[in-house]
Amino acid sequence: MKTDEIKKLEDIRVLSGKLLNTLKKAEDKRGMYNAEIRVYGYCELGSVVRNLMKLCIIALDQDSAEVPSTIQNQYIDVGLILGIALQLFPVDELEFLNEITDLFSENKEETECQD
């Protein structure tokens, strides 16, 4: 293996240690991963779950497009749901892909110059 390729592999190893953070390997299940969300406590967790369920009710019954009147608080906190989605968005992993793209685009330019 060429010295340049070995260096790139080492760079990828270092980058993966720094930037592959969204998923953590589950210790109890083969091939499964955990994604973490942060909440301030059980009340916020309950609110997230309730809002997700209300949103799903509306998504399932598009004709009425409202939370049933049997649900006390009909307000859906979309901001809370989007906040959870943002926590799960793999920003570091996208940076990792960008860094790898940069590593290999440099290699491609070097190869093209040698031809």
Side-chain angles (χ1 to χ4, degrees):
M1 202 180 269
K2 296 178 187 174
T3 306
D4 192 43
E5 291 174 353
I6 293 170
K7 175 159 178 16
K8 285 188 183 185
L9 284 174
E10 182 58 33
D11 289 346
I12 290 171
R13 187 175 296 117
V14 169
L15 285 170
S16 68
K18 290 180 187 176
L19 298 172
L20 295 179
N21 301 313
T22 300
L23 296 177
K24 309 280 189 245
K25 190 142 181 86
E27 295 176 16
D28 58 341
K29 296 183 181 170
R30 279 185 25 202
M32 299 293 289
Y33 292 85
N34 293 322
E36 179 180 296
I37 61 169
R38 292 168 298 284
V39 294
Y40 287 108
Y42 285 103
C43 288
E44 186 179 19
L45 178 60
S47 182
V48 167
V49 172
R50 284 180 55 85
N51 280 282
L52 281 169
M53 291 172 69
K54 290 178 203 176
L55 198 57
C56 289
I57 289 168
I58 290 174
L60 287 171
D61 189 10
Q62 295 174 0
D63 294 334
S64 66
E66 63 184 41
V67 177
S69 58
T70 54
I71 307 293
Q72 264 185 342
N73 181 1
Q74 296 185 355
Y75 173 73
I76 298 174
D77 189 347
V78 177
L80 181 65
I81 306 238
L82 291 173
I84 295 299
L86 278 175
Q87 285 186 45
L88 296 172
F89 195 81
V91 174
D92 289 344
E93 283 74 358
L94 294 173
E95 179 65 25
F96 176 73
L97 291 173
N98 195 52
E99 294 289 338
I100 288 177
T101 301
D102 289 347
L103 277 173
F104 285 96
S105 66
E106 291 171 7
N107 188 36
K108 186 177 178 182
E109 289 170 4
E110 290 171 6
T111 306
E112 288 173 357
C113 290
Q114 291 175 358
D115 291 339

